[in-house]
Amino acid sequence: MKRAGIIGGLGPESTVDYYKLFIDKYQQRVNSRQKLPELYINSINMYNIFQFISENEIDKLIDYVGKAAQQLESIGADFIVIAANTPHIVFDEVRKQVDVPMISIVEATYERTKEMGIENAGLLGTKFTMEHDFFKEQFWKHQEKITVPSEEQQAYLHEKIVDELENGIVKEDTKKDFIQVVNQMVEESGIDGLILGCTELPMILKEGDVSIPLINTMEIHVDKMVEQVFREE
């Protein structure tokens, strides 16, 4: 059985969800509650990630996340995931620093949107995920549409993600505001699916809250992890 390596702490709340969901999906796959997957978690500091991106210190970001991946490889991880969307800004560079496979949350999410027949995906996440191109490029290179909120809305969503969701806080007023943003994107931009491009967003947005399907990047990522555990080389 292949052992997973998770770069976590980005933030801590979603890392806990990754752990629990990975175990649950693994046990569903083997049809037994008496079996468990083996894994390693390297929990790093999400605020360092935000600082490096805010100050455009991309080399430091690559080094920080890359070392976390190398540490997981050195203790026996057979494959690695970064348990967050934002650090995928440097995913390609980090992937080159290890010899074991790394699974991209962005690539996996794009594949799922195609399976679902989504033609114009909306993207929510931290301001870094929404304003940078690393997520959007996966769609653009296939001539697919992807839409983000206005700059003002991006700033508001980012503030609430960092100050509330990253700390496990879910407020009803915040949820109403998020739903309003999504509804505006549906009406004005015609999005037909919503990518929850921050792994904390499933805490606040649930199926049925809006009129379009929600695309849970964490769940998609974990599905790929389980596939990798059983993949024959």
Side-chain angles (χ1 to χ4, degrees), residues 25-50:
K25 285 182 175 289
Y26 173 86
Q27 291 180 328
Q28 289 180 37
R29 174 74 175 258
V30 299
N31 195 30
S32 173
R33 291 293 177 184
Q34 302 301 315
K35 295 183 180 180
L36 290 166
E38 296 182 6
L39 72 155
Y40 306 100
I41 298 176
N42 189 356
S43 187
I44 61 177
N45 188 341
M46 68 178 177
Y47 297 109
N48 288 345
I49 301 288
F50 293 159

Side-chain angles (χ1 to χ4, degrees), residues 53-118:
I53 299 172
S54 296
E55 297 176 0
N56 200 32
E57 294 182 318
I58 301 303
D59 287 343
K60 289 184 179 180
L61 178 62
I62 294 169
D63 183 64
Y64 187 58
V65 182
K67 283 182 177 175
Q70 290 168 353
Q71 288 164 350
L72 287 168
E73 182 179 32
S74 71
I75 61 175
D78 296 302
F79 67 93
I80 296 168
V81 298
I82 304 172
N85 287 270
T86 299
H88 279 70
I89 289 174
V90 294
F91 179 84
D92 290 338
E93 291 82 0
V94 171
R95 178 154 52 182
K96 295 173 184 175
Q97 297 191 30
V98 293
D99 294 324
V100 296
M102 291 190 65
I103 303 172
S104 165
I105 200 171
V106 177
E107 294 169 4
T109 298
Y110 172 75
E111 291 173 9
R112 183 65 59 85
T113 63
K114 293 306 298 174
E115 292 170 3
M116 295 172 66
I118 302 298

